[in-house]
Amino acid sequence: MSRRSEVTLKDKVLNLFFKRLQHFFPFITFCLWIFTLYCLVQNPSFQTILIFALFPYLFPLLCHRLLTFVYPIPEGGSYIGLDQEKFSPWLASLRIQQIYLVFPILERLLFF
């Protein structure tokens, strides 16, 4: 059996919880960012301003670090698709970064 076709329990669990959910990561991030704006309006303080300003940069970074801690991205080719039984950390990483494709102003602000 080739290494590529080995499906572990970790693959099954990650696919169960995150395979469909990862497509909505930009939407989830945006909704949570709007919630931080709501918290800022309700309780204006330096902490809530800081959380609101840094949230779209720190939340995807923390999610990506957690992903690579649980399932490191291997070197070499990745095989992706909804019918794949093996979890693709590369595709999940792409979905996490997709927030900057949906909202390019966030990426442009990083250059300043």
Side-chain angles (χ1 to χ4, degrees):
M1 185 187 300
S2 70
R3 178 150 173 87
R4 214 180 297 149
S5 64
E6 293 177 12
V7 179
T8 63
L9 179 62
K10 184 170 36 172
D11 290 319
K12 292 178 183 179
V13 169
L14 288 172
N15 277 335
L16 176 69
F17 288 113
F18 299 114
K19 190 144 193 177
R20 303 281 184 205
L21 187 63
Q22 71 185 356
H23 299 286
F24 298 102
F25 188 81
F27 178 71
I28 292 167
T29 304
F30 181 71
C31 290
L32 289 173
W33 194 30
I34 294 299
F35 178 72
T36 62
L37 177 64
Y38 173 77
C39 292
L40 176 65
V41 170
Q42 292 296 319
N43 183 17
S45 67
F46 178 73
Q47 291 173 341
T48 55
I49 291 171
L50 193 62
I51 291 171
F52 176 74
L54 295 178
F55 183 81
Y57 303 105
L58 292 180
F59 180 68
L61 176 67
L62 292 174
C63 290
H64 185 266
R65 295 290 183 191
L66 181 65
L67 172 72
T68 55
F69 177 75
V70 172
Y71 205 118
I73 300 173
E75 290 186 24
S78 284
Y79 300 93
I80 58 174
L82 291 177
D83 59 340
Q84 292 285 59
E85 292 183 21
K86 189 151 181 69
F87 181 74
S88 175
W90 181 87
L91 183 60
S93 176
L94 174 71
R95 298 291 184 206
I96 290 171
Q97 296 172 34
Q98 200 172 22
I99 186 73
Y100 302 109
L101 297 174
V102 174
F103 301 106
I105 189 70
L106 294 174
E107 184 181 21
R108 289 191 179 102
L109 287 174
L110 286 173
F111 292 117
F112 290 112

